[in-house]
Amino acid sequence: MTYLQRLVMNMLTFISLSVLLPQMIHVESIMTALVASFILSILNGFIRPILSILAFPLTLLTLGLFTFVVNAAMLQMTASVMGDSRFGFSSFGASILIAVVMSVINMIVTEHHLEKLTK
């Protein structure tokens, strides 16, 4: 999956979740969702590896479930950079739920994309 496809997928996920769960996630516009997706990709490239290394013991203890907390932290950082009035979450718990949903969507789309490539 290309970088642009991932950006668009995350943007569509943000927009869809803001429509389905308006009390948990706020996205001002489509352009805001695109910028948030771009900022999330930058943070995932630079900050997430550091957080993952620091969180490795907790990730082992929780059998990988702490990864969702790291993902939620990345979403919260994205909201901080964007500004809560344009892109934000109602709570950290909402961020964890959104992180779980985004992980499932990424897994489904990536698996479907790989199936398409092997045929």
Side-chain angles (χ1 to χ4, degrees), residues 44-58:
N44 278 337
F46 293 107
I47 306 289
R48 184 173 178 187
I50 297 166
L51 280 180
S52 295
I53 290 169
L54 293 174
F56 185 69
L58 284 172

Side-chain angles (χ1 to χ4, degrees), residues 9 25 31 33 42 44 46-47 56 61 66 73 78-79 111 117:
M9 183 183 63
I25 179 173
M31 189 54 120
I42 297 297
N44 278 337
F46 293 107
I47 306 289
F56 185 69
L61 276 172
F66 196 74
T78 302
E111 187 175 305
L117 288 176

Side-chain angles (χ1 to χ4, degrees), residues 11 21 26 30 50 59 63 75-76 78 84 95 105 115:
M11 177 190 73
L21 305 168
H26 168 71
I30 293 175
I50 297 166
T59 304
L63 303 175
L75 289 171
Q76 286 287 348
T78 302
D84 285 333
S95 297
I105 291 171
E115 278 182 16

Side-chain angles (χ1 to χ4, degrees), residues 17-78:
L17 290 174
S18 70
V19 170
L20 292 172
L21 305 168
Q23 60 276 37
M24 289 188 175
I25 179 173
H26 168 71
V27 179
E28 186 180 58
S29 66
I30 293 175
M31 189 54 120
T32 301
L34 181 62
V35 172
S37 180
F38 177 72
I39 290 172
L40 180 63
S41 71
I42 297 297
L43 291 174
N44 278 337
F46 293 107
I47 306 289
R48 184 173 178 187
I50 297 166
L51 280 180
S52 295
I53 290 169
L54 293 174
F56 185 69
L58 284 172
T59 304
L60 276 177
L61 276 172
T62 62
L63 303 175
L65 292 177
F66 196 74
T67 305
F68 293 123
V69 175
V70 172
N71 290 345
M74 300 309 299
L75 289 171
Q76 286 287 348
M77 283 187 226
T78 302

Side-chain angles (χ1 to χ4, degrees), residues 113-119:
H113 183 71
L114 288 175
E115 278 182 16
K116 226 173 158 181
L117 288 176
T118 58
K119 288 184 179 181

Side-chain angles (χ1 to χ4, degrees), residues 17 21 24 68 72 75 91-103:
L17 290 174
L21 305 168
M24 289 188 175
F68 293 123
L75 289 171
S91 66
F92 192 73
S95 297
I96 291 176
L97 180 65
I98 301 299
V100 169
V101 171
M102 288 185 74
S103 295

